[in-house]
Amino acid sequence: MPKVMAADKPWALISEVGENGYYEELAVIMKEHFQIMSLCDFLQNPALHGQKIQVLFMWKFYPEATPALLALLPSLRVVCSGGTGTDHLDIPYINSLGVKIANTPHVVSDATADFAMGLLLASARKIFEGQEIAKAPNTAIIPQSLMGVEVTGSTLGIIGMGEVGYKIAQRSKGFDMKILYHNRSRRSLEDEAAVGATYCENMDDLLKMSDFVMLSLRFTPQSIGLIGHRELSLMKPTATLINISRGLVVDQDALVQALQLTTIQAAALDVTHPEPLPRDHPLLSLPNALITPHMGISSTSTAKKIIQKMVDNAIAAVKGLPIPDEVKPQL
């Protein structure tokens, strides 16, 4: 394929290149096909640059596709968002402007499932607490407070058995876990048999029987507050809640209370609302809450796959071709 000269490349808007944006090795993938401009540089003179921008690349929700920003981009053809979720996008509004939307499905599932198991193991075996004690200058003995929960042979309840949820089940099978799942639709008997999963039509049954409850469902308006006071009260007092879906799926006030009163034993969260939490949020000070900054897809190989998919979608949009991963409003 002949090399595209910089002057001939279509323009794309990004957050920035660097620690708070795209690592240089990822930006290189974009630069092969696009003339990229950081949001900071763009906002210095939007009237000059706005007509050039045909693609908005969103990485970890930035730059936000707000009406104010979109109004500055009259030539925009596509918003390419990294990751699977699209709840941060006003799809009908963006489409009403004649702008397409694309995401990057299927390339984030393995990394997310790996991280979900990492959260489960770290919380159950108090790995981070152990690290703090091991590194503390005054540690002389290993305290009994590091006694953890056995993962092998325990019961994992997965709420949301889509692509990611199923990969979590596959990994859990290696720990000889008993797997329950609740989903909008039941998976095939072959899928269930492959991972030894049992379908729970009633989510309450799953909550009552699980030692670990994993939230891996796709976020929709109907899933807001899915786990609240009532649901937490159904869980075992020895159970752990793990959330890799979206923060709004859990009523955080109810979760704080459940952790304070030990209604449940622990929570491990890669997602919160908002992100990051205010520095004085009570979840941050609870010893039985493990919180990470929405880093489930943060692996080098996965990031490269995401960027390549974003670029492929953008190239198709600019050329007026069908976009491989176009997102359309749900009817």
Side-chain angles (χ1 to χ4, degrees):
M1 181 181 294
K3 187 173 182 179
V4 181
M5 302 301 293
D8 299 324
K9 294 177 182 177
W11 284 70
L13 182 64
I14 68 170
S15 53
E16 62 177 279
V17 177
E19 179 65 26
N20 296 318
Y22 301 83
Y23 288 124
E24 182 59 42
E25 63 183 292
L26 300 178
V28 165
I29 301 173
M30 294 177 164
K31 290 177 181 178
E32 290 179 7
H33 301 279
F34 294 93
Q35 182 73 34
I36 64 174
M37 172 171 282
S38 72
L39 180 63
C40 180
D41 290 342
F42 172 77
L43 292 177
Q44 290 182 13
N45 196 339
L48 175 63
H49 302 299
Q51 289 284 349
K52 303 176 185 177
I53 304 297
Q54 297 185 58
V55 177
L56 174 61
F57 284 124
M58 295 185 71
W59 181 252
K60 297 188 176 180
F61 312 145
Y62 297 105
E64 294 183 70
T66 62
L69 177 60
L70 295 174
L72 301 174
L73 306 172
S75 301
L76 188 67
R77 295 194 180 189
V78 65
V79 174
C80 294
S81 180
T84 303
T86 56
D87 51 286
H88 56 293
L89 296 168
D90 187 340
I91 298 173
Y93 175 73
I94 295 172
N95 286 165
S96 75
L97 302 175
V99 177
K100 305 287 189 180
I101 297 170
N103 62 350
T104 62
H106 311 305
V107 296
V108 303
S109 302
D110 281 320
T112 305
D114 288 349
F115 195 81
M117 292 305 297
L119 283 176
L120 188 156
L121 291 165
S123 179
R125 298 304 304 273
K126 301 189 177 182
I127 290 174
F128 288 104
E129 296 93 322
Q131 180 192 40
E132 291 178 1
I133 289 173
K135 289 186 173 183
N138 59 344
T139 295
I141 60 172
I142 308 302
Q144 290 295 317
S145 62
L146 285 180
M147 197 70 69
V149 176
E150 193 81 11
V151 173
T152 300
S154 62
T155 298
L156 171 64
I158 302 174
I159 299 177
M161 188 71 111
E163 186 172 338
V164 173
Y166 194 75
K167 287 181 178 292
I168 292 170
Q170 290 175 321
R171 287 151 175 75
S172 304
K173 187 180 178 183
F175 287 90
D176 294 325
M177 301 182 84
K178 179 181 179 181
I179 301 166
L180 310 175
Y181 78 98
H182 173 74
N183 206 40
R184 284 183 299 177
S185 57
R186 184 171 182 174
R187 297 191 70 110
S188 69
L189 295 178
E190 292 78 11
D191 284 349
E192 292 180 353
V195 295
T198 300
Y199 179 60
C200 294
E201 184 174 0
N202 189 329
M203 188 177 74
D204 289 359
D205 295 334
L206 178 148
L207 294 171
K208 293 173 183 177
M209 293 187 285
S210 299
D211 298 303
F212 300 92
V213 173
M214 178 77 69
L215 304 177
S216 60
L217 65 158
R218 178 183 177 186
F219 180 78
T220 64
Q222 292 71 38
S223 63
I224 294 175
L226 179 71
I227 303 298
H229 287 285
R230 190 188 74 85
E231 290 73 24
L232 291 164
S233 71
L234 295 175
M235 292 172 61
K236 297 179 180 181
T238 54
T240 296
L241 178 72
I242 304 150
N243 189 9
I244 59 165
S245 176
R246 285 290 189 267
L248 284 171
V249 172
V250 178
D251 179 337
Q252 287 181 169
D253 292 337
L255 179 60
V256 167
Q257 186 179 73
L259 292 171
Q260 289 173 335
L261 300 176
T262 60
T263 303
I264 63 172
Q265 180 160 282
L269 315 170
D270 188 42
V271 289
T272 59
H273 183 75
E275 294 176 353
L277 288 171
R279 296 298 85 187
D280 61 350
H281 195 283
L283 271 175
L284 299 179
S285 61
L286 291 174
N288 52 348
L290 168 61
I291 301 175
T292 53
H294 205 151
M295 53 191 285
I297 64 173
S298 297
S299 76
T300 303
S301 60
T302 295
K304 289 180 179 178
K305 293 174 186 176
I306 290 173
I307 297 300
Q308 188 60 60
K309 258 191 175 285
M310 292 168 70
V311 167
D312 292 344
N313 287 322
I315 291 173
V318 169
K319 291 183 176 180
L321 301 173
I323 301 172
D325 302 300
E326 183 176 355
V327 177
K328 297 182 179 179
Q330 291 185 334
L331 300 177

